[in-house]
Amino acid sequence: MINKKFLFVCAFMPALVFTVFLFSLLHGSIQISFLDMLKALFGCGVDADIAVIIKQIRFPRTLMACVTGAGLAVSGCVFQAILKNPLADPFTLGISGGAAFGATAAFVIGLVSITNFFIPLCAFIGMIASVLIIYLLNVKKKFNSNSMVLSGVVVSYIFSSAVMLMFALSPSNSVQSAFVWLMGNLSTFDERLLPFIIVVVITGIIILSLSGNIINVVSLSGEKSRTFGMDIEKNIKFLFITASLITATTVSVCGIIGFVGLIIPHIMRKIIGTNNIILVPTSAFAGAVFLPLCDTLSKTLFSPLLIPVGVVTSIIGGFFFIYLLFKSERI
Amino acid sequence: MIRIENISAGYLNKKVLKNISCNIYKKDFFGIIGKNGTGKSTLLKIICNLIKSYSGSISIDDKNINSFSKKEFAKIIAFLPQYVDTSMPFTVSEFIMFGRYPYMNIFKIPSSYDYAKVKEVIGFLQIENLTHRKINELSGGEKQKILIAQVLVQETDIIIFDEPTLHLDIGNQNNILKILRDLNEQYAKTIILTLHDLNAAGEFCNKLVLIEDGCVCRYGTPEKVLNYKDIERVYKTTVVVKTNPISDKPYVIPVSKNKIM
C-alpha cells in the first residue's frame, strides 16, 4: 500500500507540477505558443518581447507560485497536526496578523518610498514578532492545542485592530497599496528574493517531510504521545518554528494567500490518507500545482486586468468548503 | 517488580494521594479500585512517569523510574489513558504502528520488523477486518481493541490501562478483559488497571488495591479486598458480596437500602 502511495508521490506528482508549470508559463494576458516558450527558455531565436515575458516575468512568478503553494500546504499539514484539527491552517494561529501589521506599517510610515525591500522585511519582522508572542504565551501552557488556538485568535485580533487603526489614520493611497498587498499577490515581489525564499522553503519542506511520523504522533493527545517516549513539547516547538518560518518567508514576500494551507492538506488527506510520512510531501507537490493554477486564473480571468491571487484562492476555498458541507455530515 | 513507596500527590491545595505504598509483582493482574476522584488515575500517571510532582518513590526492579530515559521507559511500560484523541482519520494499521515509535530510527520510519510486529498483534487480536478502516469511524469496542493493539506493539513487559472498559457494553467489557487476561497468562505481561466494575475486578484480577480518600484501604487478593464492610464504607452504599459458583471469585451486588429496611 505504502509503495503505491510512494510511487504516486515520487512519479506522478512531480510530473503534474512540471506540466502545470509549463501550462502557467503559456497562459496570461498574452497567449504564447509552446514552441515559442521553449525557444524563449533556451534562448534561441524568438521575439525579444516574448523572451522577456517568459524569462523575466512568467518564469520567476510561476516558480514563486510553486514554492509558495508548496510551503503553505506543508505548513497547513503541520498546523493541523499540532492543533489536532483537520480544519486548521497556517493562519489559524494568527501569525499572518503580524505580517499584515508589519507590511501595513511599511506602507503607512512611508518606508516603501525608500526601497521596496522594506515591505517583505517589515512583514517578516511582524510575523516573527507574532510567532514569538504565541510561543511565549504557550511555553507555560506546555503547547496545549486549545491554548494555542486561543492565543492565536487573541494575537490575530490585536494585530488586525492595529492595522485598522493605521488605515484610519493614513492617506488613502498608502491604504490602497497596503490593501492590495494584504490580499496576496504574486505580481509585485522582488525577484532578487527568490533564491533566498527557495532555499528556506525547500529546506523546511525537506525537514518536515522527514519528520512525517513525528507529526503523526504529535497529532495524538499529548499524554499518549508521551507514553511513546516522545518529548512532546520539544517536538511541537520544533514543528511550530519550522512551519512558521516557511509561512513567514512566503507571506512576507507574497502577502496573505489564504486557504492553500487549509484545502490542500484536506483534499490530499481524502486522496492519500492521513499518514504524514506521505501526506506532507504530497501536499507540497499539490500546493505547487494549486497555486500556479490559481495564479494563471488570476492572470486570465479578467485579462488584461490582474487580480490578486489571494482572491482566487479564497473564492475557490470558500466554494470548496460549501461543497464539503453539503457532501458529508463530517468534515 | 514495581515498588511504590509513600506516594503523596495532589493538585493545587487538594491532596489526592496520601502515603500510598504497595508492591506489584511480575505477571500480576493488578486492579486499582475506589470511588471517583480518589486518585486512581493520578497513581497510574505517576507510575507511568507522566506526573512528576509527587513525594515518595517508585522503582522498577530496584531502579527509580526517574533514572530511565524517555525512550528506555517507553520500552518497559505501555500506558493506555482513559482518553486518546482519535479524531485524525488514520487507518487502523497506521494508528497501531505509532506504538513502535520508541523503536524507530532518527527519522522515525518504520522498519520491516515494525511492520511484522504490527501484523502479529493484528493476528493475535483477530482484527484483520479492521486494518484498512479509519480509526475515527470505528465503534467504541472496536476502537478499544485498536488502542490495545497499539500498546501491545510497544512490546513492554508492563501494560497499564486506565478504565479500559469504560463506556463498553457487557459483552465488549468481557472480551477486552479476556484479552488482557490472555496477555497476562500466555505472554507473562504484568497488567495494571483501574476499574469501576467491582465484579470485573474480582473476576479477572489476582491482586487488588482499594483506595479510600487517597489512602490504601485494603490490599491483597480479591477475596480479601472485596468484603462488604470495606466496600460499604468506601462507596457509602449497601452491598452483598457473594461467590460466583462457576469461577469461585467474589462478586458484589448493590442493594437498595429502602427494600432492606
Side-chain angles (χ1 to χ4, degrees), chain A residues 80 84-85 210 213-214 216-217 219-221 223-224 226-231 269 274-275 277 330, chain B residues 45 50 70 74 79 81 83-85 88-90 94-95 98-99 101-102 104 107-108 136 150-151 154:
Chain A
Q80 287 171 5
K84 299 166 186 53
N85 184 347
L210 291 172
N213 218 13
I214 295 174
N216 283 339
V217 177
S219 70
L220 305 175
S221 50
E223 206 166 61
K224 187 69 208 164
R226 279 189 193 98
T227 67
F228 297 141
M230 174 186 254
D231 189 335
R269 199 172 283 123
T274 307
N275 190 350
I277 297 174
R330 190 187 181 94
Chain B
K45 286 175 191 173
L50 294 172
K70 284 191 172 77
F79 176 50
Y83 173 74
V84 177
D85 194 335
M88 282 291 190
F90 289 106
E94 283 165 357
F95 195 79
F98 299 153
Y101 189 87
M104 291 177 191
F107 293 120
K108 307 295 176 194
N136 57 335
Q150 197 185 53
V151 294
Q154 218 172 314

Side-chain angles (χ1 to χ4, degrees), chain B residues 1 4 9 28 34 81 129 138 160 164 207 246 250:
Chain B
M1 182 181 79
I4 300 167
D28 264 355
N129 55 329
L138 300 181
I160 301 182
K207 289 243 183 71
I246 300 171

Side-chain angles (χ1 to χ4, degrees), chain A residues 242-260:
Chain A
T242 313
S244 298
L245 205 61
I246 293 175
T247 313
T249 311
T250 54
V251 167
S252 59
V253 178
C254 304
I256 299 158
I257 301 174
F259 277 102
V260 180

Side-chain angles (χ1 to χ4, degrees), chain B residues 76-162:
Chain B
I76 295 170
I77 288 188
F79 176 50
L80 179 54
Q82 254 179 51
Y83 173 74
V84 177
D85 194 335
T86 51
S87 57
M88 282 291 190
F90 289 106
T91 65
V92 163
S93 30
E94 283 165 357
F95 195 79
I96 296 172
M97 181 60 85
F98 299 153
R100 297 297 300 166
Y101 189 87
Y103 299 90
M104 291 177 191
N105 61 18
I106 187 164
F107 293 120
K108 307 295 176 194
I109 305 292
S111 66
S112 52
Y113 180 77
D114 295 327
Y115 283 106
K117 197 71 214 167
V118 169
K119 203 175 168 188
E120 184 192 320
V121 169
I122 286 170
F124 170 71
L125 293 174
Q126 297 172 338
I127 47 172
E128 291 89 347
N129 55 329
L130 301 178
T131 50
H132 294 296
R133 288 184 56 195
K134 301 269 171 64
I135 183 80
N136 57 335
E137 291 166 0
L138 300 181
S139 69
E142 290 170 333
K143 207 174 272 183
Q144 199 62 9
K145 272 191 176 179
I146 304 310
L147 290 167
I148 289 174
Q150 197 185 53
V151 294
L152 285 188
V153 296
Q154 218 172 314
E155 280 191 294
T156 57
D157 286 335
I158 304 163
I159 310 177
I160 301 182
F161 299 90
D162 192 359

